[in-house]
Structures are given as structure tokens and as C-alpha cells.
Amino acid sequence: MDYDVVVIGAGAAGLICARTLGRAGLTTLVLEASARAGGRMRDVADPRARGAIELGAEFVHGRPAITYDLLAEFGATVVDDADGSFTLRDGALEPAGRDAFAETAALLRGAFDRADESVEALLRRSDRGAPSETTAWARRLVGGFDAADPARASARAIAEEWAGDAAAGGAQSRPLGGYAPLVAHLVRTLDPARVHVRYETVATRVAREANGVTVDARARGADVRIRARRAIVTVPIGVLQAAPGAHGAIAFEPPLPAHVADAIAAIAMGPVVKVVARFREPVWESLGDGAWRDGAFFSGDEAFPTVWTQLPVRADFLVAWAGGPAAARFAGASGDACIAAALGAIGRYFGDASAIEDAFEVAYVHDWQRDPFARGAYSYVLVGGERARAVLARPVDGALAFAGEAAAEGGEGGTVAGALQSGLRAAHDAVAALAR
Ligand SMILES: Cc1cc2nc3c(=O)[nH]c(=O)nc-3n(C[C@H](O)[C@H](O)[C@H](O)COP(=O)(O)OP(=O)(O)OC[C@H]3O[C@@H](n4cnc5c(N)ncnc54)[C@H](O)[C@@H]3O)c2cc1C
């Protein structure tokens, strides 16, 4: 055996998993397809920005203990979001005035009273033929927050997520300085004697054998073969679903047991288009006679249904966000087209397109849907797939286990906290099994 464990993927799940394995005395090799660690935690180095520009994860949802403990290890400051919310109505921003999160959560609780159905079916029943503003908000929030298509998403699974600690509308914060310091901390605290990370190494095949696994990979044009006692696969669900032979796709031999293959098929990757636009100065704070200077979140029927600031930190950039069906409308669009649409929307939110254009300096976007090692932003559960995350969270057998946000339980699916929870769990399972 070359190693005790091969971990595939160096995102939140893979890094915390490898760190825990190393500390337990197990030799571990991490294979990472890209040239960097962090996966969907990904920032942009913009020295002129006042704050961390995040192309992927930005918030901590709820008060997840593992995430908070990890941030505390290196003394990170965590800042709660400000709550000023505004809605764009008839071309003008007004204070949101209603708690759309609480109303949506109340509607979703209806999912626990009956057999699983789609979020859309649940909302239609609640509308009884007359679409209300509440269900319109619910559709927008399930798309925006869960990156989910309401017509396909499991009402029960979404309701469970909305009832948990990471609930939409609940406590939400950001690590000051972004998630990059957390990634650096995880990499720094890998035991160098036991844990090795190979970047630009794309796993292509995992073969389970009598006493372990053989993992094949391609590293800068060369074939690599590693033997280990166990493989822990932390790649996104979209990568697990990629067609055989597609860039990043992993072949499993023998084929995965039916219940595991079914679980993978019962989870979807939700799309997100997140544009971060930096301005010469935070011009929106003085528009409208300063009426929304303390606004944190802005929503409306726009191509980007949500725009947010970094409040309480006064930064010089805005985030324009489209998730779920709103993001799917950008399928195939170039980065420049997404940026142009985001600036147009920001101009309409703040009622002064030319002031926004004049102050605009630069914008950033990453195409998560076309990134072969992500294939979307984060996962949601399809109708009937309520048990899928729990199935993925259990080891397949002695030689193979999955981890990552899609395999997170307790309503944390889709988040960094869920990825950390799941990576830690997979490491503990491996330590228990391999130490025997
Ligand atoms: C735009 C956006 C916004 C988000 N906002 C938030 C937020 O505010 N708060 C929050 O909690 N979460 C957010 N998320 C979700 C969060 O980023 C993820 O849930 C979390 O980072 C996933 O961690 P992971 O380890 O499961 O997967 P990943 O971070 O995707 O790590 C998997 C790794 O596997 C690698 N890989 C893929 N294929 C292969 C292969 N064949 N061989 C080797 N390596 C491979 C990838 O390169 C990647 O590094 C957001 C995500 C996106 C995209």
C-alpha cells in the first residue's frame, strides 16, 4: 500500500478530512484536480478592494460548531450580517416591510404533513389557483437561497433545511477577511510527515479490491496510480454525475451499489451566477438621498433578484446574485454578458444607471456551471430523495466512502459547514475502521 487513505478533492471536506486522518496517524494522499486548495471557497486578490471578494462561499449560515471552532483556532473575527432589507417595487426601493423568510418557512412546514412532493406542487396547493405575493416570494427564495428549481426540489428536504440551524432568514455571518484564511489554516495544519497533497492531479478511476483501492489519475499529462486501504471521494455531486469520460469524471469499479447510485441521482447541482462589482466609491450609499445607506440586502424582479452590500463592513463592492431558475437563464452566457446584466440590474435597483456606470471600476465572476470540477454551485435534494444525503454519508464498504456538502446531514447540505461536518465524519469513520 502507498497510503492508508486517498482523499479525492481539496475543498473544505477533503482538507478537514485529511487533517484529521494525519492527526490520527494515518498516511494520507490528497488528489486535487486544480492548482489550488479550497474548491468552492475561492476569493479574488484585488488589492484595491475594501474587503474580501468571494466568488464562491461568503456567509456562515447559523452557528455551526465545527466551522466556528475552526475559525477560532486561528483567531478569525466573525461578523454578523446587518439586516436592513429593501424591495424594488414599481421602480423604487422601499423597506422590505415583511419577513418573507418567516412566511416561506411557515409555508414549507406544510411539507411535513404529507408524502414528499415538489416545492412547486406545495406552493400551488397553497395558492389554490390564485398566486399570492407570499408564494411568489417563496419561489424566489427557494431559487435564490437553495439554488433549487422549485419544480424539481423535494419540499420535505427543503423544509428540513429551512427548519435547521442553517435556516434561511436565521443567523448569518461572514468571516472577516473571507474564507481564504480558513483554507490557508487547514493547509498549514496538515501533518507534513503523513499528509501529502498533489495538485493538478485529476482522479479518473477508483477500483475497489479485496484489501483496498487502486486510484488512477492524470497529472499534467502523466498517468498516476496509487494503492491505498481506503478512498474518500469529496468531489461535488455534479462531478459524480458527469458522463463517463468527461473531464473530471470518475469511473467506479465495480459499479457503485444501486442504493448509492440512486442517492447520487436523487441530488441535483443548483446553478448560481454571482457577480462582484467594485466601484470607485460606494456610490449607492448616497443615491436616493442616502435612504438605503444602511441597506444590506436588496431584492426585486430583476435578472439578479438579489443584490447585497458587505454591511456592517462598509466596502466598495456589491454582489449581484442569481440562483436556481434565475441563474439557469444565464446558461451559456459569457462572463462579460453576466457582468453587463448585473450592472444594468444594479443601476435599476438604485434608480441611477449613469451614477452606477460612472463609478464602476471592475467586476468578477466565475462560471461554476462550466467549471468541470464543480459543475454547479451547490446541491439540493430532488423529490423523493429525502434519504439521499444520509445514504451518501455512510461508507459504501470498507474501501470507499463519500464526503462533501452533498453528503451533509442535519440541514447543512449545500454549505461550507456541511462540507466540514461531512469531511470530519468520513475521517472518523476511516480512523475507526482502519485502526481495527
Ligand atoms: C457561488 C457560490 C456561493 C456560495 N455561497 C456559500 C455561502 O455563502 N455559504 C456557504 O456555507 N456555502 C456557500 N457555497 C457553497 C460552498 O462553497 C460549498 O458547499 C463548499 O465549499 C463545498 O465544499 P466541498 O469540500 O464539499 O466541495 P468543493 O469545495 O467543491 O471541493 C471539491 C474539490 O474536488 C476537486 N475535484 C473535482 N473533481 C476532481 C477530480 N476528478 N479529481 C481530483 N479533484 C477533483 C475540486 O477541484 C475541488 O477542489 C457557495 C458556493 C458557490 C459556488
Side-chain angles (χ1 to χ4, degrees), residues 362-405:
V362 62
Y364 305 96
V365 61
H366 179 75
D367 191 338
W368 292 104
Q369 284 65 247
R370 275 187 283 199
D371 179 334
F373 307 128
R375 297 180 181 266
Y378 44 91
S379 68
Y380 67 95
V381 174
L382 298 171
V383 181
E386 288 164 79
R387 297 277 313 137
R389 293 197 195 280
V391 170
L392 267 193
R394 304 280 92 78
V396 174
D397 54 27
L400 175 65
F402 290 96
E405 56 86 1

Side-chain angles (χ1 to χ4, degrees), residues 8-11 13 32-33 39-40 233-242 248-250 252 264 267-269 368 371-379 392 402-407:
I8 303 179
E32 168 53 49
R40 285 171 275 164
V233 179
T234 75
V235 304
I237 201 82
V239 174
L240 293 177
Q241 293 169 343
I250 301 173
F252 291 93
I264 291 171
I267 303 177
M269 201 62 171
W368 292 104
D371 179 334
F373 307 128
R375 297 180 181 266
Y378 44 91
S379 68
L392 267 193
F402 290 96
E405 56 86 1

Side-chain angles (χ1 to χ4, degrees), residues 9 11-13 32-33 39-40 55-59 61 203 235-236 248 404-405 414-416 419:
E32 168 53 49
R40 285 171 275 164
L55 298 175
E58 174 174 340
F59 300 100
H61 303 289
V235 304
E405 56 86 1
T415 66
V416 171

Side-chain angles (χ1 to χ4, degrees), residues 112-428:
F112 295 125
D113 302 335
R114 44 194 299 141
D116 199 18
E117 60 187 338
S118 70
V119 169
E120 183 61 35
L122 179 142
L123 297 180
R124 288 221 174 128
R125 269 191 306 103
S126 144
D127 276 341
R128 292 194 189 86
S132 69
E133 203 174 340
T134 309
T135 54
W137 266 106
R139 282 185 190 87
R140 195 185 284 159
L141 289 180
V142 167
F145 195 81
D146 299 293
D149 178 350
R152 303 179 67 216
S154 155
R156 273 176 163 253
I158 298 274
E160 193 198 317
E161 292 181 5
W162 278 60
D165 175 55
Q172 196 169 266
S173 55
R174 295 178 179 91
L176 197 64
Y179 271 111
L182 183 143
V183 175
H185 174 72
L186 281 171
V187 171
R188 200 167 48 237
T189 51
L190 296 173
D191 177 349
R194 296 200 181 89
V195 182
H196 301 143
V197 185
R198 283 191 69 149
Y199 293 101
E200 295 180 81
T201 305
V202 183
T204 53
R205 175 176 165 269
V206 174
R208 280 134 59 219
E209 290 141 6
N211 302 314
V213 283
T214 297
V215 176
D216 288 334
R218 293 279 295 166
R220 294 175 211 145
D223 289 326
V224 178
R225 172 162 286 187
I226 303 114
R227 295 262 304 129
R229 296 163 73 196
R230 180 180 280 222
I232 299 176
V233 179
T234 75
V235 304
I237 201 82
V239 174
L240 293 177
Q241 293 169 343
H247 193 32
I250 301 173
F252 291 93
E253 291 172 18
L256 294 171
H259 71 287
V260 178
D262 289 349
I264 291 171
I267 303 177
M269 201 62 171
V272 166
V273 179
K274 179 183 188 184
V275 174
V276 188
R278 181 168 65 68
F279 298 85
R280 200 170 49 249
E281 54 186 355
V283 59
W284 59 91
E285 290 187 356
S286 50
L287 294 175
D289 291 330
W292 40 81
R293 181 178 147 76
D294 293 324
F297 291 90
F298 303 87
S299 7
D301 276 325
E302 281 290 335
F304 285 84
T306 315
V307 165
W308 64 72
T309 67
Q310 299 290 300
L311 283 185
V313 172
R314 293 220 176 259
D316 49 0
F317 54 88
L318 291 170
V319 173
W321 176 276
R329 283 182 214 118
F330 285 99
S334 67
D336 285 348
C338 294
I339 289 169
L343 285 177
I346 291 171
R348 286 187 293 280
Y349 274 102
F350 297 111
D352 194 337
S354 62
I356 291 293
E357 263 168 42
D358 287 351
F360 172 68
E361 295 218 312
V362 62
Y364 305 96
V365 61
H366 179 75
D367 191 338
W368 292 104
Q369 284 65 247
R370 275 187 283 199
D371 179 334
F373 307 128
R375 297 180 181 266
Y378 44 91
S379 68
Y380 67 95
V381 174
L382 298 171
V383 181
E386 288 164 79
R387 297 277 313 137
R389 293 197 195 280
V391 170
L392 267 193
R394 304 280 92 78
V396 174
D397 54 27
L400 175 65
F402 290 96
E405 56 86 1
E409 296 183 272
E412 287 190 337
T415 66
V416 171
L420 292 171
Q421 170 225 103
S422 139
L424 204 53
R425 188 220 62 239
H428 290 152

Side-chain angles (χ1 to χ4, degrees), residues 35-89:
R36 51 175 285 281
R40 285 171 275 164
M41 294 181 285
R42 181 178 185 133
D43 66 348
V44 169
D46 178 341
R48 297 192 52 199
R50 283 195 259 137
I53 294 195
E54 298 279 21
L55 298 175
E58 174 174 340
F59 300 100
V60 180
H61 303 289
R63 304 276 184 227
I66 297 166
T67 309
Y68 268 77
D69 288 351
L70 202 51
L71 290 165
E73 280 181 24
F74 61 98
T77 302
V78 185
V79 182
D80 275 353
D81 287 1
D83 36 46
S85 291
F86 288 79
T87 305
L88 185 65
R89 222 184 280 274

